[in-house]
Amino acid sequence: MRSVTSIDVAKLAGVSQSAVSRAFSSSASISDRTRQKVLAAAAALGYRPNRIPSIMLSGRSCMVGVVIGGLDNPFYASALERLAIALRQAELQVLLVQVDDALTLDTALDQLASYRIDAIVTSLAVGSKSVADALSELQTPVICFNSSLVGPWISTVVSNNYGAGQTAAGIFLKQGVTNPVWLAGPAKNAASRARAEGFCDTLKRASGHSGALIKLRGDDTYQSGYNAVRRLLQRGVRPDGIFSSNDMMACGVLDALRERGELHCPDDVIVVGYDNIPQAAWHGYDLTSFDQRTDQMVAVAMDMLDTALQTVDHPYSETRLINAQLIERGSTRPGN
Amino acid sequence: MRSVTSIDVAKLAGVSQSAVSRAFSSSASISDRTRQKVLAAAAALGYRPNRIPSIMLSGRSCMVGVVIGGLDNPFYASALERLAIALRQAELQVLLVQVDDALTLDTALDQLASYRIDAIVTSLAVGSKSVADALSELQTPVICFNSSLVGPWISTVVSNNYGAGQTAAGIFLKQGVTNPVWLAGPAKNAASRARAEGFCDTLKRASGHSGALIKLRGDDTYQSGYNAVRRLLQRGVRPDGIFSSNDMMACGVLDALRERGELHCPDDVIVVGYDNIPQAAWHGYDLTSFDQRTDQMVAVAMDMLDTALQTVDHPYSETRLINAQLIERGSTRPGN
């Protein structure tokens, strides 16, 4: 592989070197017959085209930087997998960057820029202004998943978190919940804040419930949901409805309820989560949840990417909202 | 970013263009004072070095192709995250390729080769000869996680699956299990086969148990574990020990037992899984499992990568075994 060049292939196929380049470019014009000759010669020699010179000439690498963090949440892992498939199908490569915090993001962005990536896709929950500024500075299209980042080069596809919060409140009202609990994610999580607003506004408007609403805070992990509800039950509080900002925490909530054994889900207390992770469908949880429809979000992101790559010399910015889909399961069906 | 070049930075800093290149290379020799001048000028102009010309000259991209599949298994998601962190710390970039099957692998390998990646790291469970041949043909170092792939350019870091199977059998013998069940993964999964061998050999040698051993097969998913044990119980079989080839299936096993309600874990039946996924530690499962020590596997893989990158012109091949660590939890502690 390291020694075979396009010159070797051109010689064997009896064509020019530029015909070899064109044969390997899906957009270039070349006759079928010439292309077949080139491909046969390339296969015989074990030649693979080198993209690097064309990156140098065009400034386009066909690589997209994908910035991730928190793959221990199955929702992000599944979103990454779907995105990687969609990018592969669009013949774009994924340059993956794992980021722990704003500091590693800065280093990561410098590295990405040095590879002349065409765009960045990120699902970071962090929505700080400094992150948005760092991203905008690159003057490279950025597509964000479920983030509140705004900036001239940044487009965002967001789950309708506020609307889902309203829907969750609707379930609570229909079931006659009188002691509702909201289990929030970390304060910096903008999606969690929007879910809370939709939920609280609707409860308040309907019946003045909001005064009675108990607000707990977790950090989006299973254990934080478990601990929060365990402490609540130890204090003698008896909630009859719990809306958790994500499914990981909701699974912890359900295990804390089961372990304590005083309140049974769904007969004594209904539970609603968010993300529709695989564990929500596990028989041990059977959790009502909101599916963010990652497939639709990825499709919209790919559409935005396409637009962004066609308008690469000036900033492109857009926000699109995807309605989350309520998946009703046993955890909100008392009396079954 | 698109317009600022190293020439601009050199002018502003009052140094040569080659000093600018050296300032951005961690290995090049340059005085601290000159480097500071260059970095200040670069920051003022918003300059970021371009790696592409140096890839062209050296043939080294500092990119590693990471081939993945099955991120819905938390074990693979966590392995990917750790690997991405280790590669970032080694100043190597991750070119991620999602692969569904042998067919997509072939296309993926062609694409990776065209970016002149330095090496490939993969955790594909597929161990077919055609995959090994395709990888070897690239003449690029390949590091495999837990795979049975062999070939001149392929090195492998493997969990001691046979040894862990022996350990699992030891638990069964110590607890006096008389109706053991082995729940296998898909036939093509080499790791699952090795676990089975260690488990069956030890049971057989100890007491001729193996004749009584019930063998079930799943496909590594939660639902397949749930279905397999549900059917077993419906047939009236009463196992007192179940060793599952992975934790996803073991969680399904535990939910099937709990739902049926005849046999309680751990008092009537003990359950052992493999991978130590986060869900194994969840209170609802409390599953004894084998931790593959992804941190050690990643460290060994990075070590192999380092060796491979230093011997890049001839094939490097090595296999290293990592002992899995038994994590004992409630599912094998009857009477507690």
Side-chain angles (χ1 to χ4, degrees), chain B residues 38 44 190 212 233 235 271 294:
Chain B
V38 170
L233 299 176
R235 276 167 40 207
V271 177
T294 333

Side-chain angles (χ1 to χ4, degrees), chain A residues 1-2 4 47-53 55-56 59 61-63 68-72 74 77-78 80-81 84-85 88 91-100 104 108-118 134 137-141 222-223 226 248 251 255 258-259 277-279 281-285 312-313, chain B residues 1-2 4 47-53 55-56 59 61-63 68-72 74 77-78 80-81 84-85 88 91-100 104 108-118 134 137-141 222-223 226 248 251 255 258-259 277-279 281-285 312-313:
Chain A
M1 178 190 95
R2 280 175 205 287
V4 182
Y47 167 79
R48 282 183 175 85
N50 183 353
R51 289 244 201 161
I52 305 300
I55 297 177
M56 231 180 121
S61 62
C62 294
M63 286 194 282
I68 52 141
L71 283 190
D72 47 344
S78 137
L80 172 63
E81 187 147 44
I85 293 171
R88 186 189 67 206
E91 295 184 19
L92 292 164
Q93 301 295 318
V94 174
L95 203 58
L96 187 78
V97 177
Q98 198 282 344
V99 154
D100 303 314
T104 36
L109 292 183
D110 278 347
Q111 290 179 356
L112 285 175
S114 77
Y115 280 88
R116 298 298 185 258
I117 49 154
D118 295 341
E137 231 174 64
L138 289 179
Q139 300 189 26
T140 296
Y222 167 89
Q223 193 62 42
Y226 176 86
M248 295 281 275
C251 287
D255 279 341
R258 180 157 47 194
E259 208 168 277
I277 63 174
Q279 286 72 27
W282 286 10
H283 299 263
Y285 296 108
V312 75
D313 290 327
Chain B
M1 178 192 92
R2 281 175 205 285
V4 183
Y47 166 77
R48 282 185 175 86
N50 182 352
R51 289 240 203 164
I52 304 301
I55 298 177
M56 232 181 120
S61 62
C62 294
M63 286 194 282
I68 53 140
L71 282 190
D72 48 345
S78 139
L80 172 63
E81 187 147 47
I85 293 170
R88 186 188 68 207
E91 296 185 19
L92 291 165
Q93 302 295 317
V94 174
L95 203 58
L96 188 78
V97 177
Q98 200 282 344
V99 154
D100 303 315
T104 36
L109 293 183
D110 278 345
Q111 290 179 353
L112 285 175
S114 77
Y115 281 88
R116 297 299 185 254
I117 48 152
D118 296 340
E137 228 175 69
L138 290 178
Q139 299 189 27
T140 296
Y222 167 89
Q223 194 61 41
Y226 176 87
M248 295 282 277
C251 288
D255 279 342
R258 180 158 47 196
E259 209 169 278
I277 62 174
Q279 286 71 27
W282 286 10
H283 299 263
Y285 296 107
V312 75
D313 289 328

Side-chain angles (χ1 to χ4, degrees), chain A residues 20-261:
Chain A
V20 175
S21 310
R22 278 178 288 127
F24 281 101
S25 157
S26 54
S27 55
S29 117
I30 184 171
S31 77
D32 271 357
R33 203 168 142 259
T34 309
R35 176 171 274 139
Q36 289 314 319
K37 273 204 280 185
V38 170
L39 295 182
L45 295 170
Y47 167 79
R48 282 183 175 85
N50 183 353
R51 289 244 201 161
I52 305 300
S54 89
I55 297 177
M56 231 180 121
L57 292 173
S58 67
R60 278 207 53 187
S61 62
C62 294
M63 286 194 282
V64 171
V66 174
V67 180
I68 52 141
L71 283 190
D72 47 344
N73 185 334
F75 168 70
Y76 288 114
S78 137
L80 172 63
E81 187 147 44
R82 279 172 193 268
L83 183 66
I85 293 171
L87 288 168
R88 186 189 67 206
Q89 286 165 348
E91 295 184 19
L92 292 164
Q93 301 295 318
V94 174
L95 203 58
L96 187 78
V97 177
Q98 198 282 344
V99 154
D100 303 314
D101 48 40
L103 194 73
T104 36
L105 179 66
D106 261 2
T107 319
L109 292 183
D110 278 347
Q111 290 179 356
L112 285 175
S114 77
Y115 280 88
R116 298 298 185 258
I117 49 154
D118 295 341
I120 292 176
V121 181
T122 169
S123 62
L124 287 184
V126 184
S128 75
K129 181 148 186 329
S130 71
V131 168
D133 288 350
L135 285 169
S136 286
E137 231 174 64
L138 289 179
Q139 300 189 26
T140 296
V142 177
I143 318 285
C144 291
F145 273 84
N146 236 352
S147 143
S148 60
L149 290 174
V150 276
W153 290 84
I154 301 174
S155 288
T156 309
V157 50
V158 198
S159 179
N160 184 356
N161 294 296
Y162 186 90
Q166 292 178 304
T167 304
I171 299 173
F172 278 45
L173 293 169
K174 197 175 140 203
Q175 300 278 357
V177 168
T178 53
N179 293 310
V181 170
W182 159 244
L183 174 53
K188 66 177 181 186
N189 186 333
S192 174
R193 290 200 306 271
R195 289 165 203 168
E197 280 168 28
F199 185 65
C200 298
D201 287 357
T202 307
L203 288 186
K204 196 188 269 177
R205 217 173 299 134
S207 56
H209 254 141
S210 176
L213 181 69
I214 297 171
K215 292 179 184 178
L216 306 176
R217 185 177 297 287
D219 62 6
D220 280 344
T221 64
Y222 167 89
Q223 193 62 42
S224 73
Y226 176 86
N227 291 343
V229 164
R230 195 157 188 263
R231 277 194 299 267
L232 190 74
L233 298 175
Q234 279 169 348
R235 277 166 41 207
V237 180
R238 295 179 60 92
D240 54 356
I242 303 175
F243 179 30
S244 167
S245 177
N246 81 358
D247 283 351
M248 295 281 275
M249 294 195 294
C251 287
V253 165
L254 288 167
D255 279 341
L257 289 169
R258 180 157 47 194
E259 208 168 277
R260 185 89 179 175

